[in-house]
Amino acid sequence: MTSIDTRRDPAPSVFRALREGVMATPWLWCWLVAALVAIFQHGPMPMYSTRTLSVAWEMWERQSFIVPYLNGLPYSEKPPLLLWLIHLGWAVGGVGDVWPRLLEVLLGGLQLVLLWKLAQRLFPQRPEVARTAPWILAAFSFGFLFGLQVMYEVLLANCVLAALLCLTPKPEREAPRFGWFALAVGLGLLTKGPVMFLHVAFPFLLGPLWHPWARRERRQWYVRGAIALLVGSLLLVAWVLLATGAGGEAYRQRLVVHQTAGRVVDAFAHAEPFWWYIPLLPVLIFPFALWPRMWVALASLRRPFEDGLRFLFAWLGPVLLGFSLVSGKQAYYPLPEYGGFALLIAASLVLLHERRPSTSRWLGPWPLALAYAICGAVLIALRLPTLHARLEHAQLASLVSYGLPFGVLFLLIAATLVLLRRGELFRVAGAGLIAVVAANGLFTLTLWPAYDFNPVAAMLSKAEASGQPIANLESNDGQYTFLGRLTQPVTQLHGMQDVRRWAEDHPDGLIITYPKRLTELDHAHAVYIQPFRGIWLAVWPVQAFVEAQSKGALTN
């Protein structure tokens, strides 16, 4: 008698689970596809990605996995957690820029998942908030583009969201998970240093305003939370002790003093006025800033605020105030709060719909559609002879070749925003994702040659292999080190006196210069020339450069 195997084939259950996962998190898969397309459209961007990759490369090449290095010197700007993650991938697949980019995509996807879970915890009675908040975060144009950079902020955002998630109540457990909170804080400190405290301190300090358990157990909340913060700090302290022991006294001073107190009191770069972030906020939340319904929803928030909204106010308000008080400002500094912006927008829209659902077309995304339509019309109009003749800049003139297809695409995006009726938020988010990927593609096809350092890095790598020393006039952020796999520092020179002294010691050396405009001597003597972000990059034999300068014939 033949036995019949009645066991079920596991394949259908696997496919079913995969299908259910895709259906439960469509925002994740849409974002991953968009990010993977965009991040491989062009190479690592200077100076953000190239600097991080160069630090990772110098650590790898020196086998210095405790003390980061940049251009031959200990690098005190950032702790090493992101660099260690890059090294893990290189240990498996070899050195390259593919793994760091995939890592950023994975970290971005994890950020969306953490936000989704945080929304479920904060607004358990309103599942629509958790369904829409990841779409909003995924579609933030600035956050999307910056998330493509090999930088520390996306990893920091994950640590911040994970730490806050540990504080929020679960349906089966109201008390915080302070052990996991300590770990998340410690990893955040190892990602970008003490600024991690600014991102998580206020939701913790203001816990009784939004957390039921903290209101009942204030002493436990503050005592156990303070211990968790202290334990998390020990991870950073342990690394600092190891790094300063290996890096020396000068490195210890820069790491401990310069990078903490110094940055708060007086920025070394990027100093901006107190109010700088206020006009920037609409840019950070684009494309939703051009959606009238969002502003109406935010303006219609009324007391009494539920605990989820109180949490967002306790988080976003004080953190933005803190960043405003610090003199150094950058648009990406509050990137860990972008998830909070998405939650606030999503909760406001859900509450507005519950109170007074409106289908008014005046609240629809028509301003956003108008902006996309104008962009499309301008791109198409560049083909007009009168406009074409005025585009003297080579990179801008290259827009003409691609203006028609991209212009049509932006017009189609605008049409979908105004012609379709259902799923307004998802139309805005989807249009934003498609538009930002298209804009990144247009940038790659037209302006990227002015940012692409791969050719000059390859030339410098050959020069180093042949024994030629290399110097850089103006700032050097390691933009060539990783791309050229350089193993020797690029000498930093400031002013012509430094150049002349270096030329005497290295008569066969090359010097990288950045003239505002090219001269006949640049074309005659420079061994390499390319456009660079509105100016030029020229590599000279240093003796020829000194002779030209001494004659006063070269203007920079």
Side-chain angles (χ1 to χ4, degrees), residues 60 69 87 103 177 195 242 249 256 267 301 329 373 411 414 448 452 463-464 504:
W60 181 268
Y69 276 82
H87 292 156
L103 176 62
R177 283 75 61 202
V195 74
L242 291 172
E249 178 62 22
V256 177
L301 291 175
K329 298 176 179 67
L411 289 177
W448 171 244
D452 185 7
E464 181 186 82
E504 292 176 359

Short mmCIF file of all heavy atoms in Angstrom, two decimals, residues 60 69 87 103 177 195 242 249 256 267 301 329 373 411 414 448 452 463-464 504:
data_model
loop_
_atom_site.label_atom_id
_atom_site.label_comp_id
_atom_site.label_asym_id
_atom_site.label_seq_id
_atom_site.Cartn_x
_atom_site.Cartn_y
_atom_site.Cartn_z
N TRP A 60 40.41 51.27 7.79
CA TRP A 60 40.57 49.92 7.25
C TRP A 60 42.01 49.68 6.79
O TRP A 60 42.62 48.65 7.09
CB TRP A 60 39.60 49.74 6.08
CG TRP A 60 39.64 48.40 5.44
CD1 TRP A 60 40.41 48.03 4.36
CD2 TRP A 60 38.88 47.24 5.79
NE1 TRP A 60 40.17 46.72 4.03
CE2 TRP A 60 39.23 46.21 4.89
CE3 TRP A 60 37.94 46.98 6.77
CZ2 TRP A 60 38.67 44.94 4.96
CZ3 TRP A 60 37.38 45.72 6.83
CH2 TRP A 60 37.74 44.71 5.94
N TYR A 69 40.62 57.88 11.33
CA TYR A 69 41.63 58.74 10.72
C TYR A 69 41.06 59.40 9.48
O TYR A 69 40.22 58.83 8.77
CB TYR A 69 42.88 57.93 10.33
CG TYR A 69 43.85 57.72 11.46
CD1 TYR A 69 43.67 56.72 12.39
CD2 TYR A 69 44.97 58.56 11.59
CE1 TYR A 69 44.57 56.52 13.43
CE2 TYR A 69 45.87 58.37 12.62
CZ TYR A 69 45.67 57.36 13.54
OH TYR A 69 46.56 57.18 14.57
N HIS A 87 32.70 48.58 7.92
CA HIS A 87 33.78 47.59 7.95
C HIS A 87 33.24 46.16 7.95
O HIS A 87 33.85 45.27 7.35
CB HIS A 87 34.65 47.81 9.19
CG HIS A 87 35.44 49.09 9.14
ND1 HIS A 87 35.89 49.74 10.27
CD2 HIS A 87 35.84 49.84 8.08
CE1 HIS A 87 36.55 50.82 9.91
NE2 HIS A 87 36.53 50.91 8.59
N LEU A 103 23.78 49.80 2.87
CA LEU A 103 23.61 50.00 4.31
C LEU A 103 22.71 51.19 4.58
O LEU A 103 21.81 51.13 5.43
CB LEU A 103 24.97 50.19 4.97
CG LEU A 103 24.97 50.51 6.47
CD1 LEU A 103 24.35 49.37 7.27
CD2 LEU A 103 26.39 50.81 6.95
N ARG A 177 10.85 50.12 28.97
CA ARG A 177 11.90 49.11 28.94
C ARG A 177 13.23 49.85 29.05
O ARG A 177 13.88 50.17 28.05
CB ARG A 177 11.84 48.30 27.64
CG ARG A 177 10.74 47.25 27.58
CD ARG A 177 9.37 47.81 27.36
NE ARG A 177 9.27 48.53 26.11
CZ ARG A 177 8.36 49.45 25.85
NH1 ARG A 177 7.46 49.79 26.77
NH2 ARG A 177 8.32 50.07 24.70
N VAL A 195 25.30 64.69 21.20
CA VAL A 195 24.08 65.27 20.66
C VAL A 195 22.90 64.30 20.78
O VAL A 195 21.74 64.72 20.74
CB VAL A 195 24.30 65.69 19.19
CG1 VAL A 195 24.36 64.48 18.27
CG2 VAL A 195 23.22 66.65 18.72
N LEU A 242 39.46 54.15 25.28
CA LEU A 242 40.31 53.37 24.38
C LEU A 242 40.91 54.24 23.28
O LEU A 242 42.10 54.13 22.96
CB LEU A 242 39.50 52.24 23.75
CG LEU A 242 39.05 51.11 24.68
CD1 LEU A 242 38.10 50.16 23.94
CD2 LEU A 242 40.26 50.34 25.21
N GLU A 249 47.38 62.79 23.45
CA GLU A 249 46.80 63.91 24.20
C GLU A 249 46.08 64.91 23.30
O GLU A 249 45.00 65.39 23.63
CB GLU A 249 47.92 64.63 24.97
CG GLU A 249 47.46 65.86 25.75
CD GLU A 249 46.44 65.53 26.83
OE1 GLU A 249 46.38 64.36 27.27
OE2 GLU A 249 45.70 66.44 27.25
N VAL A 256 37.31 65.31 23.48
CA VAL A 256 36.54 65.52 24.70
C VAL A 256 36.07 66.95 24.83
O VAL A 256 34.93 67.21 25.21
CB VAL A 256 37.38 65.11 25.93
CG1 VAL A 256 36.62 65.40 27.22
CG2 VAL A 256 37.74 63.64 25.86
N ALA A 267 30.02 77.80 17.24
CA ALA A 267 30.22 76.86 16.14
C ALA A 267 31.51 77.18 15.39
O ALA A 267 31.88 78.33 15.22
CB ALA A 267 29.04 76.92 15.17
N LEU A 301 -5.75 71.84 15.54
CA LEU A 301 -5.52 71.06 16.76
C LEU A 301 -6.01 71.84 17.97
O LEU A 301 -5.71 73.03 18.12
CB LEU A 301 -4.03 70.73 16.91
CG LEU A 301 -3.44 69.73 15.91
CD1 LEU A 301 -1.93 69.61 16.12
CD2 LEU A 301 -4.11 68.37 16.06
N LYS A 329 24.36 75.46 12.64
CA LYS A 329 23.08 74.91 12.17
C LYS A 329 23.26 74.34 10.76
O LYS A 329 23.93 74.92 9.92
CB LYS A 329 22.01 76.00 12.16
CG LYS A 329 21.69 76.58 13.54
CD LYS A 329 20.68 77.71 13.44
CE LYS A 329 20.35 78.25 14.82
NZ LYS A 329 21.52 78.93 15.44
N ALA A 373 3.87 71.41 -12.26
CA ALA A 373 3.55 71.81 -13.63
C ALA A 373 4.48 72.92 -14.11
O ALA A 373 4.93 72.91 -15.27
CB ALA A 373 2.10 72.28 -13.71
N LEU A 411 4.80 67.12 -15.68
CA LEU A 411 3.42 67.49 -16.02
C LEU A 411 2.46 66.35 -15.72
O LEU A 411 1.34 66.59 -15.24
CB LEU A 411 3.34 67.88 -17.50
CG LEU A 411 4.01 69.21 -17.88
CD1 LEU A 411 3.91 69.44 -19.39
CD2 LEU A 411 3.36 70.39 -17.13
N ALA A 414 1.86 66.27 -12.01
CA ALA A 414 0.90 67.33 -11.65
C ALA A 414 -0.52 66.93 -12.01
O ALA A 414 -1.46 67.17 -11.24
CB ALA A 414 1.29 68.62 -12.36
N TRP A 448 25.90 66.19 -12.52
CA TRP A 448 26.78 65.31 -11.78
C TRP A 448 28.24 65.41 -12.20
O TRP A 448 29.13 65.29 -11.33
CB TRP A 448 26.30 63.86 -11.90
CG TRP A 448 27.28 62.88 -11.36
CD1 TRP A 448 27.96 61.91 -12.04
CD2 TRP A 448 27.72 62.75 -10.00
NE1 TRP A 448 28.78 61.20 -11.22
CE2 TRP A 448 28.66 61.70 -9.95
CE3 TRP A 448 27.42 63.44 -8.82
CZ2 TRP A 448 29.28 61.30 -8.78
CZ3 TRP A 448 28.06 63.06 -7.64
CH2 TRP A 448 28.96 62.00 -7.63
N ASP A 452 31.60 64.75 -9.73
CA ASP A 452 32.18 63.42 -9.87
C ASP A 452 33.70 63.51 -9.73
O ASP A 452 34.39 64.01 -10.63
CB ASP A 452 31.80 62.82 -11.22
CG ASP A 452 32.27 61.38 -11.35
OD1 ASP A 452 32.77 60.81 -10.35
OD2 ASP A 452 32.14 60.82 -12.46
N ALA A 463 49.37 58.91 -9.71
CA ALA A 463 50.48 59.76 -9.30
C ALA A 463 51.11 59.25 -8.01
O ALA A 463 52.35 59.22 -7.88
CB ALA A 463 50.01 61.20 -9.14
N GLU A 464 50.27 58.86 -7.05
CA GLU A 464 50.80 58.33 -5.80
C GLU A 464 51.58 57.04 -6.04
O GLU A 464 52.66 56.82 -5.45
CB GLU A 464 49.67 58.08 -4.80
CG GLU A 464 50.14 57.55 -3.46
CD GLU A 464 48.99 57.18 -2.55
OE1 GLU A 464 48.45 56.06 -2.72
OE2 GLU A 464 48.63 57.98 -1.67
N GLU A 504 59.58 73.65 -2.88
CA GLU A 504 61.02 73.48 -2.73
C GLU A 504 61.38 72.07 -2.25
O GLU A 504 62.38 71.50 -2.69
CB GLU A 504 61.56 74.52 -1.74
CG GLU A 504 61.49 75.95 -2.26
CD GLU A 504 61.96 76.95 -1.21
OE1 GLU A 504 62.30 76.51 -0.08
OE2 GLU A 504 61.96 78.16 -1.51
#
